[in-house]
Amino acid sequence: MKLYLTPGACSLADHIALHEAGVEFEREAVDLKAKKTASGADFTRVNPKGYVPALVLDDGEVLTENIAILDWIAHQKPELVPTGPLGRTRMLEALAFISTEIHKGFKPFFANGSEEAKAMATQALRNRLDQIAGTMQGHYLFGESLTVPDCYLFVMLTWARKFGIPLPEKLEHFRERMMGREAVRLAFKHEGLS
Ligand SMILES: N[C@@H](CCC(=O)N[C@@H](CS)C(=O)NCC(=O)O)C(=O)O
């Protein structure tokens, strides 16, 4: 399978999760402005929506959307799904919150928004980060072991730091814990991040 990614973008969540799942995969970088892959191919032929992540499975099926890709990855290693009768539902709930309430909240920072829009986004993101910090059940979102929403949340925290948005203490500790994981180290190395 092959993950199409852009260094430091939301596709980093899927990249980390693939390492956590311990599956074999290739990766190829995408220039999002030119919509070209590193090998010069037209990325819109892989994902007509023109954005990363895209995961091409071994049978040629193409998965897009972080929520769907992270759900698929979690099922390659069931320990990456929260436990309990509502485990998968709670996982989707967390992924949807991160995607729609946190990820999309960064838009003014990526879309050259006004200072006013950025200030409003900062306040909204601080509230959302406080809310998710309040739901943490242990060292990770669902207790003492990592599940896929942790990978997505971690990437949001790298963005928050980049744009000067302060993190609640619990999430700062979580970020540091994530930085110590082998999967994060490998993904950072392959994406050329530090
Ligand atoms: N709805 C998509 C959004 C993915 C997304 O926002 N990707 C960004 C990078 S983090 C991107 O590729 N933006 C370039 C573009 O939209 O042209 C998902 O959740 O997977």
Side-chain angles (χ1 to χ4, degrees):
M1 84 187 83
K2 188 192 268 191
L3 176 67
Y4 286 89
L5 58 82
T6 297
C10 54
S11 45
L12 176 59
D14 312 86
H15 193 179
I16 294 168
L18 283 167
H19 281 301
E20 291 286 355
V23 295
E24 294 271 313
F25 65 100
E26 294 170 43
R27 52 185 85 66
E28 187 164 351
V30 177
D31 176 339
L32 289 170
K33 281 210 178 91
K35 306 290 178 206
K36 290 269 182 222
T37 74
S39 60
D42 176 359
F43 178 59
T44 62
R45 296 186 69 134
V46 178
N47 180 8
K49 292 183 270 196
Y51 51 66
V52 292
L55 184 67
V56 181
L57 303 182
D58 291 341
D59 63 2
E61 288 277 351
V62 181
L63 301 182
T64 63
E65 305 298 326
N66 280 294
I67 296 176
I69 296 175
L70 289 168
D71 179 56
W72 185 88
I73 296 170
H75 285 84
Q76 308 312 300
K77 185 177 177 189
E79 294 94 310
L80 296 176
V81 181
T83 54
L86 283 179
R88 175 158 187 255
T89 307
R90 293 295 180 203
M91 177 184 83
L92 293 174
E93 185 180 37
L95 289 173
F97 182 76
I98 297 166
S99 175
T100 62
E101 304 297 335
I102 301 180
H103 180 166
K104 288 300 153 188
F106 281 96
K107 194 160 184 189
F109 294 97
F110 288 112
N112 203 17
S114 64
E115 286 312 310
E116 193 191 351
K118 286 184 194 164
M120 280 172 68
T122 298
Q123 194 46 53
L125 283 165
R126 291 187 72 170
N127 290 342
R128 295 309 190 199
L129 293 174
D130 281 344
Q131 284 165 349
I132 201 160
T135 70
M136 282 190 79
Q137 296 171 18
H139 283 134
Y140 296 95
L141 280 170
F142 290 98
E144 298 314 320
S145 42
L146 175 140
T147 60
V148 290
D150 291 304
C151 303
Y152 200 177
L153 176 59
F154 168 72
V155 176
M156 298 301 104
L157 303 185
T158 66
W159 291 0
R161 274 169 57 96
K162 177 173 166 186
F163 296 120
I165 300 169
L167 303 185
E169 202 182 335
K170 252 191 190 175
L171 292 187
E172 180 51 32
H173 293 316
F174 164 78
R175 192 193 66 79
E176 286 164 10
R177 200 167 298 117
M178 288 293 293
M179 287 297 288
R181 293 187 75 93
E182 181 65 1
V184 172
R185 200 188 61 71
L186 282 170
F188 267 51
K189 184 174 141 223
H190 289 301
E191 295 197 15
L193 306 171
S194 50

